[in-house]
Amino acid sequence: SSFNLAAARRGERQGMDGRDGSVLFVCLGNICRSPLAELAMRLAAADAGLDIRVDSAGTGDWHVGRPPDPRRRRPLHQQDL
């Protein structure tokens, strides 16, 4: 099912697990773009008062278990995120 922001803001739960919905961000290795998008969505959802499941994934398995790239982590640490 698709996510309906207006319904979520009205307090209508949309997911089978009682949450407002879920979002999955996908990129090639899951160490650069998708983890950053995941964090941005988590922060935006919290600011909007939405209870959504947010996750990120990669299409390849060569970075499994590795943290996000240091070039992505550095600016986040500077912003205390």
Side-chain angles (χ1 to χ4, degrees):
S1 69
S2 61
F3 180 74
N4 183 320
L5 181 59
R9 286 187 172 156
R10 288 192 302 268
E12 299 171 15
R13 299 291 183 202
Q14 301 171 65
M16 293 180 70
D17 62 358
R19 292 181 171 213
D20 294 323
S22 61
V23 179
L24 175 65
F25 293 97
V26 180
C27 69
L28 189 62
N30 197 32
I31 62 165
C32 199
R33 293 171 297 272
S34 54
L36 187 60
E38 176 187 351
L39 174 61
M41 178 56 91
R42 285 181 186 275
L43 294 172
D47 285 347
L50 298 174
D51 178 24
I52 61 173
R53 180 183 304 131
V54 183
D55 206 349
S56 62
T59 59
D61 64 358
W62 51 91
H63 296 299
V64 171
R66 293 185 53 201
D69 186 278
R71 293 168 292 180
R72 289 291 178 246
R73 291 192 322 248
R74 200 170 303 117
L76 298 175
H77 287 293
Q78 291 170 346
Q79 296 292 319
D80 290 328
L81 298 175

Coordinates of all heavy atoms in Angstrom, one line a residue:
S1 N 0.8 -1.2 0.0 CA 0.0 0.0 0.0 C 0.9 1.2 0.0 O 2.0 1.2 0.4 CB -0.9 0.0 1.2 OG -0.2 0.2 2.4
S2 N 0.3 2.3 -0.5 CA 1.1 3.6 -0.5 C 0.9 4.4 0.8 O -0.1 4.2 1.5 CB 0.7 4.4 -1.7 OG -0.7 4.7 -1.6
F3 N 1.9 5.2 1.0 CA 1.9 6.0 2.2 C 1.0 7.3 2.0 O 1.1 7.9 1.0 CB 3.3 6.4 2.6 CG 3.4 7.3 3.8 CD1 3.2 6.7 5.1 CD2 3.6 8.6 3.7 CE1 3.2 7.5 6.2 CE2 3.7 9.4 4.9 CZ 3.5 8.9 6.1
N4 N 0.1 7.6 2.9 CA -0.7 8.7 2.8 C -0.4 9.7 3.9 O -0.8 9.5 5.1 CB -2.2 8.3 2.8 CG -3.2 9.4 2.6 OD1 -3.0 10.5 3.1 ND2 -4.2 9.1 1.9
L5 N 0.3 10.8 3.6 CA 0.8 11.7 4.7 C -0.4 12.4 5.4 O -0.4 12.5 6.6 CB 1.7 12.8 4.1 CG 2.2 13.8 5.0 CD1 3.0 13.2 6.1 CD2 3.1 14.8 4.3
A6 N -1.4 12.8 4.6 CA -2.6 13.4 5.2 C -3.3 12.5 6.2 O -3.7 12.9 7.3 CB -3.6 13.8 4.1
A7 N -3.4 11.2 5.9 CA -4.1 10.3 6.8 C -3.2 10.1 8.0 O -3.7 10.0 9.1 CB -4.3 8.9 6.1
A8 N -1.9 10.0 7.8 CA -1.0 9.8 9.0 C -1.1 11.0 9.9 O -1.1 10.9 11.1 CB 0.4 9.6 8.5
R9 N -1.2 12.2 9.4 CA -1.3 13.4 10.2 C -2.6 13.5 10.9 O -2.7 14.0 12.0 CB -1.1 14.7 9.3 CG 0.3 14.9 8.9 CD 0.5 16.2 8.2 NE 1.9 16.4 8.0 CZ 2.4 17.2 7.1 NH1 1.6 17.8 6.3 NH2 3.7 17.4 7.0
R10 N -3.6 12.8 10.4 CA -4.9 12.8 11.1 C -4.9 11.7 12.2 O -5.9 11.5 12.9 CB -6.0 12.5 10.1 CG -6.4 13.6 9.2 CD -7.7 13.3 8.5 NE -7.7 12.1 7.7 CZ -7.3 12.1 6.4 NH1 -6.9 13.1 5.7 NH2 -7.3 10.9 5.8
G11 N -3.8 10.9 12.2 CA -3.7 9.9 13.3 C -4.2 8.5 12.8 O -4.3 7.6 13.6
E12 N -4.5 8.4 11.5 CA -5.0 7.1 11.0 C -3.8 6.2 10.7 O -2.9 6.5 9.9 CB -5.8 7.3 9.7 CG -7.0 8.2 9.9 CD -7.6 8.6 8.5 OE1 -7.3 8.0 7.5 OE2 -8.4 9.5 8.6
R13 N -3.7 5.1 11.4 CA -2.6 4.1 11.2 C -2.9 3.4 9.9 O -4.0 3.0 9.6 CB -2.6 3.1 12.4 CG -2.3 3.8 13.7 CD -0.9 4.3 13.7 NE -0.6 4.9 15.0 CZ 0.3 5.8 15.2 NH1 1.1 6.2 14.2 NH2 0.6 6.3 16.4
Q14 N -1.8 3.2 9.1 CA -1.9 2.6 7.8 C -1.3 1.3 7.7 O -1.7 0.5 6.8 CB -1.3 3.6 6.8 CG -2.0 4.9 6.8 CD -1.2 5.9 5.9 OE1 -1.2 5.7 4.7 NE2 -0.7 6.9 6.5
G15 N -0.3 0.9 8.5 CA 0.4 -0.3 8.3 C -0.2 -1.4 9.1 O -1.0 -1.2 10.1
M16 N 0.0 -2.6 8.7 CA -0.5 -3.8 9.5 C 0.1 -3.9 10.9 O -0.5 -4.5 11.8 CB -0.2 -5.1 8.7 CG -1.0 -5.1 7.4 SD -0.7 -6.7 6.5 CE -1.5 -7.8 7.5
D17 N 1.3 -3.3 11.1 CA 1.9 -3.3 12.4 C 1.5 -2.1 13.3 O 2.1 -1.9 14.3 CB 3.4 -3.4 12.3 CG 4.0 -2.1 11.6 OD1 3.2 -1.3 11.1 OD2 5.2 -2.1 11.4
G18 N 0.5 -1.4 12.9 CA 0.0 -0.2 13.7 C 0.8 1.0 13.5 O 0.5 2.0 14.1
R19 N 1.8 1.0 12.6 CA 2.6 2.2 12.3 C 1.9 3.0 11.2 O 1.1 2.5 10.5 CB 4.0 1.9 11.9 CG 4.8 1.3 13.1 CD 6.2 1.0 12.7 NE 6.9 0.6 13.9 CZ 8.2 0.9 14.0 NH1 8.9 1.5 13.0 NH2 8.8 0.6 15.1
D20 N 2.5 4.2 11.0 CA 2.0 5.1 9.9 C 2.4 4.6 8.5 O 1.8 4.9 7.5 CB 2.4 6.5 10.1 CG 1.8 7.1 11.3 OD1 0.6 6.9 11.6 OD2 2.5 7.9 12.0
G21 N 3.5 3.8 8.5 CA 4.0 3.3 7.2 C 5.4 2.9 7.3 O 6.0 2.9 8.4
S22 N 6.1 2.7 6.2 CA 7.5 2.3 6.2 C 8.1 2.8 4.9 O 7.5 3.0 3.9 CB 7.7 0.8 6.3 OG 7.1 0.1 5.2
V23 N 9.5 3.1 5.0 CA 10.2 3.6 3.9 C 11.6 2.9 3.9 O 12.2 2.7 4.9 CB 10.5 5.1 4.1 CG1 11.3 5.7 2.9 CG2 9.2 5.9 4.2
L24 N 12.0 2.4 2.7 CA 13.3 1.8 2.5 C 14.0 2.6 1.5 O 13.5 2.7 0.3 CB 13.1 0.3 2.1 CG 14.4 -0.4 1.7 CD1 15.2 -0.6 3.0 CD2 14.0 -1.8 1.1
F25 N 15.2 3.0 1.8 CA 16.1 3.7 0.9 C 17.1 2.7 0.4 O 17.7 2.0 1.2 CB 16.8 4.9 1.5 CG 15.8 6.0 1.9 CD1 15.3 6.1 3.2 CD2 15.4 6.9 1.0 CE1 14.4 7.1 3.5 CE2 14.5 7.9 1.3 CZ 14.0 8.0 2.6
V26 N 17.4 2.7 -0.9 CA 18.3 1.7 -1.5 C 19.3 2.4 -2.4 O 19.0 3.3 -3.2 CB 17.5 0.7 -2.4 CG1 18.5 -0.4 -3.0 CG2 16.5 0.0 -1.5
C27 N 20.6 2.0 -2.2 CA 21.6 2.5 -3.1 C 22.5 1.3 -3.4 O 22.3 0.2 -3.0 CB 22.4 3.7 -2.5 SG 23.4 3.3 -1.1
L28 N 23.6 1.5 -4.1 CA 24.5 0.4 -4.5 C 25.1 -0.4 -3.3 O 25.0 -1.6 -3.3 CB 25.6 0.9 -5.4 CG 26.4 -0.1 -6.1 CD1 25.5 -1.0 -7.0 CD2 27.5 0.6 -6.9
G29 N 25.8 0.3 -2.4 CA 26.5 -0.4 -1.4 C 26.0 -0.2 0.0 O 26.5 -0.7 1.0
N30 N 25.1 0.7 0.2 CA 24.5 1.1 1.6 C 25.6 1.6 2.5 O 25.5 1.3 3.7 CB 23.8 -0.1 2.2 CG 22.9 0.3 3.3 OD1 22.3 1.4 3.3 ND2 22.7 -0.6 4.3
I31 N 26.5 2.4 2.0 CA 27.5 3.1 2.9 C 27.5 4.6 2.6 O 28.3 5.3 3.3 CB 28.9 2.5 2.8 CG1 29.4 2.7 1.4 CG2 28.9 1.0 3.2 CD1 30.9 2.4 1.3
C32 N 26.8 5.1 1.7 CA 26.9 6.5 1.3 C 25.5 7.2 1.3 O 25.1 7.9 2.2 CB 27.6 6.6 0.0 SG 28.3 8.2 -0.3
R33 N 24.8 7.0 0.2 CA 23.5 7.7 0.0 C 22.4 7.2 0.8 O 21.7 8.0 1.5 CB 23.2 7.6 -1.5 CG 24.1 8.4 -2.4 CD 23.8 8.1 -3.9 NE 24.0 6.7 -4.2 CZ 25.1 6.2 -4.6 NH1 26.2 6.9 -4.7 NH2 25.2 4.9 -4.9
S34 N 22.1 5.9 0.8 CA 20.9 5.4 1.5 C 21.0 5.6 3.0 O 20.0 5.9 3.6 CB 20.6 4.0 1.1 OG 21.7 3.1 1.3
P35 N 22.2 5.4 3.7 CA 22.2 5.6 5.2 C 21.9 7.1 5.5 O 21.3 7.4 6.5 CB 23.6 5.2 5.6 CG 24.1 4.3 4.5 CD 23.4 4.8 3.3
L36 N 22.4 8.0 4.6 CA 22.2 9.4 4.9 C 20.7 9.8 4.7 O 20.1 10.5 5.4 CB 23.0 10.3 3.9 CG 23.0 11.8 4.1 CD1 23.5 12.1 5.5 CD2 23.9 12.4 3.1
A37 N 20.1 9.2 3.6 CA 18.6 9.4 3.4 C 17.8 8.8 4.5 O 16.8 9.4 5.0 CB 18.2 8.7 2.1
E38 N 18.3 7.7 5.1 CA 17.6 7.0 6.2 C 17.6 8.0 7.4 O 16.5 8.2 8.0 CB 18.2 5.7 6.6 CG 17.6 5.1 7.8 CD 18.4 3.8 8.3 OE1 19.3 3.4 7.6 OE2 18.1 3.3 9.4
L39 N 18.7 8.5 7.7 CA 18.8 9.5 8.8 C 17.9 10.7 8.6 O 17.2 11.1 9.5 CB 20.3 9.9 9.1 CG 20.5 11.0 10.1 CD1 20.0 10.5 11.5 CD2 21.9 11.4 10.2
A40 N 18.0 11.3 7.4 CA 17.2 12.4 7.1 C 15.7 12.1 7.3 O 14.9 12.9 7.9 CB 17.5 12.9 5.7
M41 N 15.3 11.0 6.8 CA 13.8 10.6 7.0 C 13.5 10.4 8.4 O 12.4 10.7 8.8 CB 13.5 9.4 6.1 CG 12.1 8.9 6.2 SD 10.9 10.2 5.9 CE 10.7 9.9 4.1
R42 N 14.3 9.7 9.2 CA 14.1 9.5 10.6 C 13.9 10.8 11.3 O 12.9 11.0 12.1 CB 15.2 8.7 11.3 CG 15.2 7.3 10.9 CD 16.4 6.6 11.7 NE 16.5 5.2 11.2 CZ 15.9 4.2 11.8 NH1 15.0 4.4 12.7 NH2 16.0 3.0 11.3
L43 N 14.7 11.8 11.0 CA 14.6 13.1 11.7 C 13.4 13.8 11.2 O 12.7 14.4 12.1 CB 15.9 13.9 11.4 CG 17.2 13.4 12.0 CD1 18.4 14.2 11.4 CD2 17.1 13.5 13.5
A44 N 13.1 13.8 9.9 CA 11.9 14.4 9.4 C 10.6 13.8 10.0 O 9.6 14.5 10.3 CB 11.8 14.4 7.9
A45 N 10.6 12.5 10.1 CA 9.4 11.8 10.6 C 9.2 12.1 12.1 O 8.1 12.4 12.5 CB 9.5 10.3 10.4
A46 N 10.3 12.2 12.8 CA 10.2 12.5 14.2 C 9.6 14.0 14.4 O 8.8 14.2 15.2 CB 11.5 12.4 14.9
D47 N 10.2 14.9 13.6 CA 9.7 16.3 13.6 C 8.2 16.4 13.3 O 7.5 17.2 13.8 CB 10.5 17.1 12.7 CG 11.9 17.5 13.2 OD1 12.2 17.2 14.4 OD2 12.7 17.9 12.4
A48 N 7.8 15.5 12.4 CA 6.4 15.5 12.0 C 5.4 14.7 12.9 O 4.2 14.7 12.7 CB 6.2 15.0 10.5
G49 N 6.0 14.0 13.8 CA 5.3 13.2 14.8 C 4.7 11.9 14.1 O 3.7 11.4 14.6
L50 N 5.4 11.4 13.1 CA 5.0 10.2 12.4 C 5.8 9.0 13.0 O 6.9 9.1 13.3 CB 5.3 10.3 10.9 CG 4.6 11.4 10.2 CD1 5.0 11.5 8.8 CD2 3.1 11.2 10.3
D51 N 5.0 7.9 13.1 CA 5.6 6.7 13.6 C 5.8 5.8 12.4 O 4.9 5.0 12.0 CB 4.7 6.0 14.6 CG 5.3 4.7 15.1 OD1 6.5 4.5 15.0 OD2 4.4 3.9 15.6
I52 N 6.9 5.9 11.7 CA 7.2 5.1 10.5 C 8.5 4.2 10.7 O 9.4 4.6 11.4 CB 7.3 5.9 9.2 CG1 8.4 6.9 9.3 CG2 6.0 6.6 9.0 CD1 8.7 7.6 8.0
R53 N 8.5 3.1 10.1 CA 9.7 2.3 10.0 C 10.6 2.8 8.9 O 10.1 2.9 7.8 CB 9.3 0.8 9.8 CG 10.5 -0.1 9.8 CD 10.1 -1.5 9.5 NE 9.2 -2.0 10.4 CZ 8.0 -2.6 10.1 NH1 7.7 -2.8 8.8 NH2 7.2 -3.1 11.0
V54 N 11.8 3.1 9.2 CA 12.8 3.6 8.2 C 14.0 2.7 8.2 O 14.5 2.3 9.2 CB 13.2 5.0 8.5 CG1 14.1 5.6 7.4 CG2 12.0 5.9 8.6
D55 N 14.5 2.3 7.0 CA 15.6 1.5 6.9 C 16.4 1.8 5.6 O 15.8 2.5 4.7 CB 15.2 0.0 6.9 CG 16.4 -0.9 7.5 OD1 17.5 -0.4 7.6 OD2 16.1 -2.1 7.7
S56 N 17.6 1.3 5.4 CA 18.3 1.4 4.2 C 18.9 0.1 3.8 O 19.1 -0.8 4.7 CB 19.4 2.5 4.4 OG 20.3 2.1 5.4
A57 N 19.2 0.0 2.5 CA 19.8 -1.3 2.0 C 20.6 -1.0 0.8 O 20.5 0.0 0.2 CB 18.7 -2.3 1.7
G58 N 21.5 -2.0 0.5 CA 22.3 -1.9 -0.7 C 21.9 -3.0 -1.7 O 21.5 -4.1 -1.3
T59 N 22.2 -2.8 -3.0 CA 21.9 -3.8 -4.0 C 23.1 -4.8 -4.1 O 22.9 -5.9 -4.6 CB 21.7 -3.2 -5.4 OG1 22.8 -2.5 -5.8 CG2 20.5 -2.3 -5.3
G60 N 24.2 -4.5 -3.5 CA 25.4 -5.4 -3.5 C 25.7 -5.7 -2.1 O 25.4 -5.1 -1.2
D61 N 26.5 -6.8 -2.0 CA 26.8 -7.3 -0.6 C 28.2 -7.1 -0.2 O 28.7 -7.5 0.9 CB 26.5 -8.8 -0.5 CG 27.3 -9.7 -1.4 OD1 28.1 -9.1 -2.2 OD2 27.1 -10.9 -1.4
W62 N 29.0 -6.3 -0.9 CA 30.4 -6.2 -0.6 C 30.7 -5.2 0.6 O 31.8 -5.2 1.1 CB 31.2 -5.7 -1.8 CG 30.7 -4.5 -2.5 CD1 31.0 -3.2 -2.2 CD2 29.7 -4.5 -3.5 NE1 30.3 -2.4 -3.0 CE2 29.5 -3.1 -3.9 CE3 29.0 -5.5 -4.2 CZ2 28.6 -2.7 -4.8 CZ3 28.1 -5.1 -5.2 CH2 27.9 -3.7 -5.5
H63 N 29.7 -4.5 1.1 CA 29.9 -3.6 2.3 C 29.0 -4.1 3.5 O 28.8 -3.3 4.4 CB 29.5 -2.2 1.9 CG 30.4 -1.6 0.9 ND1 31.7 -1.4 1.0 CD2 30.1 -1.1 -0.4 CE1 32.2 -0.8 -0.1 NE2 31.2 -0.6 -0.9
V64 N 28.5 -5.3 3.5 CA 27.7 -5.8 4.6 C 28.4 -5.7 5.9 O 29.6 -6.1 6.0 CB 27.3 -7.2 4.3 CG1 26.6 -7.8 5.5 CG2 26.4 -7.4 3.1
G65 N 27.7 -5.1 6.9 CA 28.3 -4.9 8.2 C 29.2 -3.7 8.4 O 29.7 -3.5 9.5
R66 N 29.5 -3.0 7.3 CA 30.4 -1.8 7.4 C 29.6 -0.6 7.8 O 28.4 -0.4 7.3 CB 31.2 -1.6 6.1 CG 32.2 -2.8 5.9 CD 33.0 -2.6 4.7 NE 33.7 -1.3 4.8 CZ 34.2 -0.7 3.7 NH1 34.1 -1.3 2.5 NH2 34.8 0.4 3.8
P67 N 30.2 0.3 8.5 CA 29.5 1.6 8.8 C 29.4 2.5 7.6 O 30.1 2.2 6.6 CB 30.3 2.2 9.9 CG 31.7 1.7 9.7 CD 31.5 0.3 9.1
P68 N 28.6 3.6 7.6 CA 28.6 4.5 6.5 C 30.0 5.1 6.2 O 30.9 5.1 7.1 CB 27.7 5.6 6.9 CG 26.8 4.9 7.9 CD 27.6 3.9 8.6
D69 N 30.3 5.5 5.0 CA 31.5 6.0 4.6 C 31.9 7.2 5.5 O 31.1 8.0 5.8 CB 31.4 6.5 3.1 CG 32.7 6.9 2.5 OD1 33.1 8.1 2.8 OD2 33.4 6.1 1.8
P70 N 33.2 7.3 5.8 CA 33.7 8.4 6.7 C 33.4 9.8 6.1 O 33.1 10.8 6.8 CB 35.2 8.2 6.8 CG 35.4 6.8 6.5 CD 34.3 6.4 5.5
R71 N 33.3 9.9 4.8 CA 33.0 11.2 4.2 C 31.6 11.6 4.4 O 31.2 12.8 4.4 CB 33.3 11.2 2.6 CG 34.8 11.0 2.3 CD 35.0 10.7 0.9 NE 34.5 9.4 0.6 CZ 34.5 8.8 -0.5 NH1 35.0 9.4 -1.6 NH2 34.0 7.5 -0.7
R72 N 30.7 10.7 4.7 CA 29.3 10.9 5.0 C 29.2 11.1 6.5 O 28.3 11.9 7.0 CB 28.4 9.8 4.6 CG 28.2 9.7 3.1 CD 27.4 10.9 2.6 NE 27.3 10.9 1.2 CZ 27.9 11.8 0.4 NH1 28.6 12.8 0.8 NH2 27.7 11.7 -0.9
R73 N 29.9 10.4 7.3 CA 29.8 10.5 8.8 C 30.4 11.8 9.3 O 29.8 12.4 10.2 CB 30.5 9.3 9.5 CG 29.9 8.0 9.2 CD 30.4 6.9 10.1 NE 31.8 6.9 10.3 CZ 32.7 6.0 9.9 NH1 32.3 5.0 9.1 NH2 34.0 6.1 10.2
R74 N 31.4 12.3 8.7 CA 32.1 13.5 9.2 C 31.2 14.7 9.3 O 31.1 15.3 10.4 CB 33.3 13.9 8.3 CG 34.3 14.7 9.0 CD 35.6 14.8 8.2 NE 36.2 13.5 7.9 CZ 36.4 13.0 6.7 NH1 36.0 13.6 5.6 NH2 36.9 11.8 6.6
P75 N 30.4 15.1 8.3 CA 29.5 16.2 8.4 C 28.4 16.0 9.4 O 28.0 16.9 10.1 CB 28.9 16.4 7.0 CG 29.8 15.6 6.1 CD 30.5 14.6 6.9
L76 N 28.0 14.8 9.6 CA 26.9 14.4 10.5 C 27.4 14.6 11.9 O 26.7 15.2 12.8 CB 26.4 13.0 10.3 CG 25.8 12.7 9.0 CD1 25.5 11.2 8.9 CD2 24.6 13.6 8.8
H77 N 28.7 14.2 12.2 CA 29.2 14.4 13.5 C 29.4 15.9 13.8 O 29.2 16.4 14.9 CB 30.6 13.7 13.7 CG 30.4 12.2 13.8 ND1 29.9 11.6 14.8 CD2 30.8 11.2 12.9 CE1 29.9 10.3 14.7 NE2 30.4 10.0 13.5
Q78 N 29.8 16.7 12.8 CA 29.9 18.1 13.0 C 28.6 18.8 13.3 O 28.6 19.8 14.0 CB 30.5 18.8 11.7 CG 31.9 18.3 11.5 CD 32.4 18.8 10.1 OE1 31.7 19.1 9.2 NE2 33.8 18.7 9.9
Q79 N 27.5 18.2 12.9 CA 26.2 18.7 13.2 C 25.5 18.0 14.4 O 24.4 18.3 14.7 CB 25.2 18.5 12.0 CG 25.7 19.3 10.7 CD 25.5 20.7 10.9 OE1 24.5 21.2 11.5 NE2 26.5 21.5 10.4
D80 N 26.3 17.2 15.1 CA 25.8 16.4 16.3 C 24.6 15.5 15.9 O 23.6 15.4 16.7 CB 25.4 17.4 17.4 CG 26.6 18.0 18.1 OD1 27.7 17.4 18.1 OD2 26.5 19.2 18.5
L81 N 24.6 14.9 14.7 CA 23.6 14.0 14.3 C 24.0 12.6 14.4 O 25.1 12.2 14.2 CB 23.1 14.3 12.9 CG 22.6 15.7 12.7 CD1 22.3 15.9 11.2 CD2 21.3 15.9 13.5

